[in-house]
Structures are given as structure tokens and as C-alpha cells.
Amino acid sequence: MDKEYKKFEWEDLGNIVAGREHLGEEMPVIVYRLFEFTTKDILSKHFGHDKAKELIRECGFLAGTEFYLNVLNKNHEDLSFEVFVSILQKALKDFKIGILKVESADLSKKKIMLTVAEDIDCSGMPLGDEAVCNYDEGFIAGILHEYSGVSWDVTEIDCWATGDRVCRFRIIGKD
Ligand SMILES: [Zn+2]
């Protein structure tokens, strides 16, 4: 029988500054992409491509939840949407994940349209036949869920991998 797994906690990420005295906290984006795309390849081989995307989206959701709780809003403050967006924009830039813009947001209708330029997952990729930022879809859904308490469907409708210069995410709240 498999050993019971230990659920992920933020602390598991460790003290990177202490552990990488000479190399430091940062690394080239290609290393991140190599990890992500090979993971997607192997998951697709074992479980099929649709299931692989679903699993990667779920990983992104967990990451987004933890990112919100440990980076964006450590003190669990009540943030207005404007303040929340400005904190998120700054964090995505500081962490070099991408450059976020809110194209439109109608919270009463639970509809938001976001773009991410220079996205860590896909910017510069060769043209393919589908949007590839499933991890980001989950990441954004996790962040928004933790912020609002609402569940959201996040769908990437434009992506560098489909010929666009930014990733565009259509976000619709579930009832
Ligand atoms: Zn993309």
C-alpha cells in the first residue's frame, strides 16, 4: 500500500534564501516550463490529455489558494476589489509571473475579463492548436475563490500558443 501522503503546506517550500546561498532564489523560466510541460506530457500519457489538463488546473487552484493566503493577503484583511486587484497586479509582476490587466469586471453579474501579458507559462511559445495555460486557469480560480468565497469558471480564450500576444481569461462566477 502507498504511504499516506502529506498534504502540501506553504512551509514545505522551505527557506530558499538560506538553502541557495550562492545561486539565490531565482532561476530561468525555461526550468519552470521544462517541469510544467514534461509533467503535462507524462500525465497525458497516463491519463489522457483532457484529464491531464484537469489535474494541472487543480494543481493551479491549490497554488492559487495558497498564494492568496500566504502572499496576497497574509493578514486576512477585508479587501475591496480595487485594492485586491492592485495587490495581485503587483505580486504577479514582483514574482515575474506576468503583467495583469483587468479588461472588464462586473461583480454584480460575476463576470470578469483579465489579460496576462508576458505570461510565464506560454509567452514566446510556438503556435499550437490550443490554449495551454491550464495551470493559470486554476491559479486564477483559486485566488479569486479564496478572495471572494465564490467559485469561478476560468477559461483561457486567447493564448500566445494560439497566436495571441496576451493570455485572456474569461471568468464567470458559479451560482
Ligand atoms: Zn496562455
Side-chain angles (χ1 to χ4, degrees):
M1 211 171 94
D2 285 349
K3 188 166 178 277
E4 200 180 328
Y5 87 106
K6 179 185 173 298
K7 235 172 143 345
F8 171 76
E9 290 174 23
W10 192 260
E11 291 66 33
D12 297 337
L13 298 173
N15 186 338
I16 298 164
V17 175
R20 288 170 57 97
E21 192 184 343
H22 304 292
L23 296 176
E25 284 187 279
E26 299 192 359
M27 60 162 196
V29 173
I30 196 169
V31 179
Y32 168 85
R33 285 194 187 172
L34 186 64
F35 174 74
E36 182 177 13
F37 295 169
T38 53
T39 300
K40 192 184 256 185
D41 181 290
I42 298 299
L43 287 176
S44 296
K45 190 171 89 181
H46 286 275
F47 303 112
H49 191 52
D50 286 344
K51 187 68 184 175
K53 289 194 289 186
E54 187 188 317
L55 291 171
I56 285 173
R57 210 174 277 122
E58 197 175 327
C59 296
F61 188 90
L62 175 59
T65 302
E66 294 294 326
F67 192 72
Y68 183 84
L69 293 172
N70 294 282
V71 176
L72 299 175
N73 192 4
K74 275 190 210 170
N75 301 322
H76 312 295
E77 289 174 69
D78 246 339
L79 306 174
S80 70
F81 187 69
E82 287 68 26
V83 171
F84 161 68
V85 167
S86 69
I87 291 171
L88 179 60
Q89 260 169 341
K90 185 175 181 319
L92 294 187
K93 189 155 179 271
D94 289 349
F95 281 82
K96 303 185 183 180
I97 293 169
I99 300 166
L100 173 77
K101 277 194 186 140
V102 178
E103 281 195 335
S104 63
D106 185 338
L107 295 183
S108 63
K109 290 186 180 153
K110 294 189 193 163
K111 283 185 176 171
I112 306 170
M113 194 75 86
L114 300 180
T115 60
V116 179
E118 301 189 27
D119 189 277
I120 190 169
D121 293 272
C122 72
S123 56
M125 272 184 70
L127 200 60
D129 57 1
E130 63 172 1
V132 297
C133 299
N134 314 112
Y135 186 84
D136 290 3
E137 291 173 329
F139 189 65
I140 293 168
I143 288 171
L144 283 171
H145 175 256
E146 204 55 43
Y147 166 67
S148 64
V150 173
S151 295
W152 303 84
D153 273 323
V154 179
T155 309
E156 189 186 31
I157 54 172
D158 296 320
C159 181
W160 190 295
T162 58
D164 294 281
R165 303 301 283 192
V166 295
C167 299
R168 181 170 282 106
F169 296 92
R170 185 181 60 212
I171 302 166
I172 300 173
K174 297 186 206 171
D175 293 321

